[in-house]
Amino acid sequence: MKDRKPGPNDACWCGSGRKYKKCHQAQDQAGAQGVVQPPAATPRRDPLHLDEEERNSMRRACAFNAQLMDYIRDYVKPGISTGEIDQLVHDYTIQHGHTPATLGYRGYTKSCCTSVNEVICHGVPGTQVLKEGDIINVDLTSIVDGWHGDQSETLLVGAVSDEALRVTQCSFDAMWAAIDALTPGCKVKEIGRAIQRVAKAAGFSVVKEFFGHGIGKRFHQRPHIPHFAENSHGNETLDPGMCFTIEPMINVGSWRSEVDRFDNWTAYTIDRKLSAQFEHTILMTEKGPEVMTLTKRGPQRGHKFTNSQPANV
Ligand code: MF3
Ligand code: CO
Ligand code: CO
């Protein structure tokens, strides 16, 4: 069984926040009609199910991306601007011989997304200067030898409010609950079920307009990974060899979002209440999920966010 296809005016499955017709529709149709064909001599590789060599390529891409996250985390302090963070991401990636995936992606002109406070996702780095009490999601995606690693963390800027701590904790716990719900061959909807359970217990809401996604040689591919459970979604199975992201966005208030009418990217909560997000790239193996973007120095499974941790001050 396949997921319901998005209509032309629905949000694109890729999580860009754009209408399907303006985003991946043409590409999907080209693929479906066989317009994009590998040369006859090339053995056809299934882009959704990776063999061992391809899994190793993903492991390398994700390991570099995690290293970049470890590098950037320490710079996120009061007084730095989101544009300066972007520059650091850009330069570190290029210096290591890799490519920021968002640069030039569908007209996006920056090397990462920086989503502060009431921004759900796709915050565009610029002149905003971080101040004590902010929370910021830094979303990094690198291309390493043609393969993508994608992850994000919500970082605390100095000491933050209790509400900010709780929504950050909730999105982190929701991501890990979803990872723990994965078994070889399970349905995508197990992810949304786990996330909604954690959000409900905390009294928060789950964003419905931006999805996790399959990932590999392409930044965004099938399956799409909703972070909520509804009958029409999530019927695909997650079989060994599949790579995808889990990236729940959790809101303190309404789950609804609104995209900035000027930059066409930045997605705000409709009520301007706080939103937090974490993201990992996952490989389903024959034995279960492998989290490919684990960091050495970031928050590990089970982490508790407090204001007294080695804070980013
Ligand atoms: N990294 C985001 C994700 O998790 C996508 C950002 S696309 C951009 O899927 F163009 F907004 F950068
Ligand atoms: Co992603
Ligand atoms: Co991302």
Side-chain angles (χ1 to χ4, degrees):
M1 256 203 299
K2 268 193 161 179
D3 273 328
R4 186 173 54 93
K5 278 221 180 78
N9 288 315
D10 292 344
C12 187
W13 53 262
C14 79
S16 67
R18 290 164 183 245
K19 289 187 175 165
Y20 183 52
K21 67 180 177 198
K22 295 208 168 158
C23 200
H24 276 90
Q25 186 176 39
Q27 210 174 320
D28 286 353
Q29 283 170 351
Q33 289 159 12
V35 176
V36 182
Q37 289 281 0
T42 310
R44 183 186 286 275
R45 293 209 156 177
D46 176 352
L48 263 43
H49 298 84
L50 308 187
D51 64 23
E52 195 51 33
E53 190 187 326
E54 295 166 321
R55 295 180 195 192
N56 282 332
S57 298
M58 275 302 283
R59 287 184 181 107
R60 283 191 289 272
C62 290
F64 171 74
N65 205 62
Q67 179 187 322
L68 172 61
M69 184 63 85
D70 274 334
Y71 166 75
I72 218 68
R73 200 181 296 103
D74 296 338
Y75 288 96
V76 179
K77 294 175 181 172
I80 195 170
S81 72
T82 53
E84 287 165 342
I85 295 171
D86 183 68
Q87 192 68 50
L88 289 164
V89 171
H90 177 270
D91 293 352
Y92 187 92
T93 306
I94 300 296
Q95 278 158 18
H96 285 78
H98 307 312
T99 307
T102 60
L103 200 56
Y105 180 77
R106 303 202 159 268
Y108 194 83
T109 59
K110 300 293 176 181
S111 299
C112 64
C113 297
T114 50
S115 303
V116 181
N117 296 337
E118 71 279 7
V119 177
I120 295 172
C121 63
H122 302 165
V124 183
T127 55
Q128 183 172 9
V129 174
L130 298 183
K131 57 182 193 322
E132 170 114 13
D134 286 338
I135 58 173
I136 176 175
N137 177 274
V138 179
D139 193 335
L140 305 175
T141 316
S142 304
I143 310 176
V144 175
D145 299 329
W147 295 85
H148 292 74
D150 185 11
Q151 74 197 107
S152 79
E153 288 180 12
T154 294
L155 303 170
L156 312 178
V157 184
V160 305
S161 68
D162 184 56
E163 191 170 69
L165 280 178
R166 286 190 295 114
V167 72
T168 300
Q169 186 74 54
C170 182
S171 58
F172 184 77
D173 292 346
M175 175 186 68
W176 277 107
I179 293 169
D180 288 340
L182 297 171
T183 53
C186 73
K187 285 197 172 184
V188 166
K189 65 175 59 181
E190 295 305 328
I191 293 170
R193 283 194 183 130
I195 290 166
Q196 273 187 322
R197 201 179 310 123
V198 174
K200 197 173 172 201
F204 296 143
S205 66
V206 180
V207 172
K208 297 187 179 189
E209 288 145 323
F210 300 95
F211 288 30
H213 48 93
I215 185 167
K217 286 202 156 200
R218 284 173 61 186
F219 191 168
H220 295 108
Q221 62 185 19
R222 298 192 76 87
H224 55 273
I225 310 281
H227 302 111
F228 55 95
E230 270 171 20
N231 285 339
S232 57
H233 285 292
N235 288 309
E236 287 172 280
T237 56
L238 296 170
D239 298 314
M242 294 176 79
C243 262
F244 54 92
T245 71
I246 297 181
E247 45 182 304
M249 287 143 272
I250 303 293
N251 295 353
V252 163
S254 166
W255 59 267
R256 289 181 189 278
S257 65
E258 184 176 35
V259 172
D260 188 287
R261 70 181 77 176
F262 298 109
D263 70 21
N264 260 307
W265 281 104
T266 310
Y268 304 93
T269 56
I270 199 115
D271 54 15
R272 301 300 190 264
K273 292 188 179 174
L274 293 177
S275 183
Q277 178 182 24
F278 284 83
E279 173 177 28
H280 271 311
T281 298
I282 315 284
L283 166 71
M284 182 60 83
T285 76
E286 289 69 13
K287 293 180 181 159
E290 176 180 326
V291 183
M292 305 182 97
T293 40
L294 287 177
T295 61
K296 293 199 167 69
R297 295 187 292 111
Q300 309 292 316
R301 172 200 293 274
H303 183 82
K304 297 292 173 218
F305 293 86
T306 68
N307 281 324
S308 57
Q309 71 201 51
N312 289 324
V313 184

